Amino acid sequence: MVVTPYFSLLPLVVAVFVYCVVTPPTRWCKQTRGGLLGEEYIQSKQDAFNFARRVVDEGYSIWDEPSTNWETMFKAADNKLHVESRRITEGPFATSGIFVTRATGTITGADADAVYGHFITPEGLLLLDPTMDVVEAARYIERYTKDKETYVDVHKSFNAMPPGVTDRYLLVLNGYYKKDRYFFCKSIIHDSIPGASPYFIFANETSSALPVPATTRDEHGERAVNTFHFHIQPTQDKKGAIVRMVNYVDFQVRSTMMNWLISKAFFPGVYDRIEAMFGKASEK
């Protein structure tokens, strides 16, 4: 799964750097703090669902954090979309310099079940990344199923980079909790592609063989890391849907660029595409 169409936004790069000179991301979110779950070594179905439970808990806890610990990055004039970011000051990603960003938006006229049902298909993920290869998105390395409503996939996604820059890839666990309309995508360690991001610390003791020592570049490209959460529910009046998302991505490039793209450029486009397909305007 590809959740980061950032480098399809290359025409914006000049604007990004101009903006960063005026208001550099290094000045953002200085009074915020918190953590984010790191990668985990998945060797079995039990490992996968134990980790999945913690990931889902992470998503809900991030949305429950008070706004006083977040800085507003975007707020629509009609208040239908609010995007906030905070720093990561605890845990393995504290040294990355990349912010975690959350968004809450209301899609008037949308049916929550219809949006979720489409979103978790390969074609539906084009809502996140219009440049994605849906054939590749449908492939997974391994699947673990709890019941017909709950399953997780080990998945590798590819992210093409500009000429002269090593391509990036993600090795993730995708979680599908259909009853709750919840989806997540979280970087992991798995024997299918040995190695890890620079933030993963291998345990000193283990009963199983570990992957090769942590490395970020191999025959697949440069390993990136991400955390993505998606949850949707009907509005109280049942006339629309509330979509909540969380995103963190480190492509091992300058944190200034990543923070601008994640905090400012990503979510408004995603919500616009969801609204265009499922919102009230789509009925006309």
mmCIF file of all heavy atoms in Angstrom, residues 4 53 86 127 170 193 208 214 216 226 268:
data_model
loop_
_atom_site.group_PDB
_atom_site.id
_atom_site.type_symbol
_atom_site.label_atom_id
_atom_site.label_comp_id
_atom_site.label_asym_id
_atom_site.label_seq_id
_atom_site.Cartn_x
_atom_site.Cartn_y
_atom_site.Cartn_z
ATOM 1 N N THR A 4 1.542 7.737 0.552
ATOM 2 C CA THR A 4 2.264 9.001 0.558
ATOM 3 C C THR A 4 2.590 9.472 -0.855
ATOM 4 O O THR A 4 3.672 9.214 -1.361
ATOM 5 C CB THR A 4 3.579 8.833 1.326
ATOM 6 O OG1 THR A 4 4.242 7.681 0.801
ATOM 7 C CG2 THR A 4 3.326 8.651 2.800
ATOM 8 N N ARG A 53 -3.439 -4.865 17.846
ATOM 9 C CA ARG A 53 -4.242 -4.340 18.961
ATOM 10 C C ARG A 53 -3.613 -3.068 19.527
ATOM 11 O O ARG A 53 -4.297 -2.081 19.809
ATOM 12 C CB ARG A 53 -4.369 -5.394 20.056
ATOM 13 C CG ARG A 53 -5.246 -4.950 21.228
ATOM 14 C CD ARG A 53 -5.374 -6.030 22.288
ATOM 15 N NE ARG A 53 -4.091 -6.317 22.928
ATOM 16 C CZ ARG A 53 -3.401 -7.433 22.754
ATOM 17 N NH1 ARG A 53 -3.833 -8.378 21.932
ATOM 18 N NH2 ARG A 53 -2.256 -7.610 23.380
ATOM 19 N N ARG A 86 1.985 17.544 15.778
ATOM 20 C CA ARG A 86 2.787 17.659 17.003
ATOM 21 C C ARG A 86 4.122 16.974 16.794
ATOM 22 O O ARG A 86 4.289 16.134 15.899
ATOM 23 C CB ARG A 86 2.057 17.085 18.217
ATOM 24 C CG ARG A 86 1.924 15.582 18.265
ATOM 25 C CD ARG A 86 1.750 15.115 19.696
ATOM 26 N NE ARG A 86 1.292 13.736 19.820
ATOM 27 C CZ ARG A 86 2.077 12.667 19.698
ATOM 28 N NH1 ARG A 86 3.348 12.802 19.376
ATOM 29 N NH2 ARG A 86 1.576 11.443 19.866
ATOM 30 N N LEU A 127 -7.711 7.269 -3.384
ATOM 31 C CA LEU A 127 -8.116 8.468 -2.661
ATOM 32 C C LEU A 127 -6.929 9.060 -1.907
ATOM 33 O O LEU A 127 -6.851 10.272 -1.707
ATOM 34 C CB LEU A 127 -9.251 8.140 -1.679
ATOM 35 C CG LEU A 127 -10.596 7.755 -2.310
ATOM 36 C CD1 LEU A 127 -11.523 7.168 -1.249
ATOM 37 C CD2 LEU A 127 -11.243 8.962 -2.982
ATOM 38 N N LEU A 170 8.275 0.663 1.598
ATOM 39 C CA LEU A 170 7.758 0.448 2.947
ATOM 40 C C LEU A 170 7.426 -1.021 3.126
ATOM 41 O O LEU A 170 6.874 -1.662 2.218
ATOM 42 C CB LEU A 170 6.482 1.271 3.180
ATOM 43 C CG LEU A 170 6.609 2.793 3.121
ATOM 44 C CD1 LEU A 170 5.227 3.424 2.965
ATOM 45 C CD2 LEU A 170 7.283 3.317 4.377
ATOM 46 N N ILE A 193 11.636 -9.483 4.003
ATOM 47 C CA ILE A 193 12.658 -8.525 3.577
ATOM 48 C C ILE A 193 13.501 -8.193 4.799
ATOM 49 O O ILE A 193 13.151 -7.303 5.577
ATOM 50 C CB ILE A 193 12.044 -7.235 2.985
ATOM 51 C CG1 ILE A 193 11.082 -7.569 1.844
ATOM 52 C CG2 ILE A 193 13.163 -6.306 2.500
ATOM 53 C CD1 ILE A 193 10.429 -6.346 1.212
ATOM 54 N N SER A 208 14.229 -16.666 18.646
ATOM 55 C CA SER A 208 14.211 -16.922 17.212
ATOM 56 C C SER A 208 15.318 -16.133 16.524
ATOM 57 O O SER A 208 15.845 -15.171 17.074
ATOM 58 C CB SER A 208 12.854 -16.529 16.615
ATOM 59 O OG SER A 208 11.795 -17.214 17.257
ATOM 60 N N ALA A 214 20.284 -3.954 11.291
ATOM 61 C CA ALA A 214 19.502 -2.866 10.697
ATOM 62 C C ALA A 214 20.264 -2.165 9.575
ATOM 63 O O ALA A 214 21.422 -1.800 9.719
ATOM 64 C CB ALA A 214 19.128 -1.855 11.770
ATOM 65 N N THR A 216 19.253 0.537 6.020
ATOM 66 C CA THR A 216 18.167 1.259 5.383
ATOM 67 C C THR A 216 18.159 1.119 3.868
ATOM 68 O O THR A 216 17.170 1.461 3.231
ATOM 69 C CB THR A 216 18.240 2.763 5.718
ATOM 70 O OG1 THR A 216 19.486 3.286 5.236
ATOM 71 C CG2 THR A 216 18.143 2.970 7.221
ATOM 72 N N ASN A 226 6.421 4.387 8.139
ATOM 73 C CA ASN A 226 5.192 5.166 8.211
ATOM 74 C C ASN A 226 4.245 4.630 9.279
ATOM 75 O O ASN A 226 4.367 3.495 9.749
ATOM 76 C CB ASN A 226 4.473 5.194 6.859
ATOM 77 C CG ASN A 226 3.543 4.015 6.676
ATOM 78 O OD1 ASN A 226 3.944 2.869 6.816
ATOM 79 N ND2 ASN A 226 2.293 4.298 6.357
ATOM 80 N N PRO A 268 -5.676 17.969 2.977
ATOM 81 C CA PRO A 268 -6.723 18.670 2.222
ATOM 82 C C PRO A 268 -7.055 17.984 0.897
ATOM 83 O O PRO A 268 -8.226 17.873 0.522
ATOM 84 C CB PRO A 268 -6.126 20.065 2.009
ATOM 85 C CG PRO A 268 -5.254 20.265 3.211
ATOM 86 C CD PRO A 268 -4.620 18.912 3.446
#
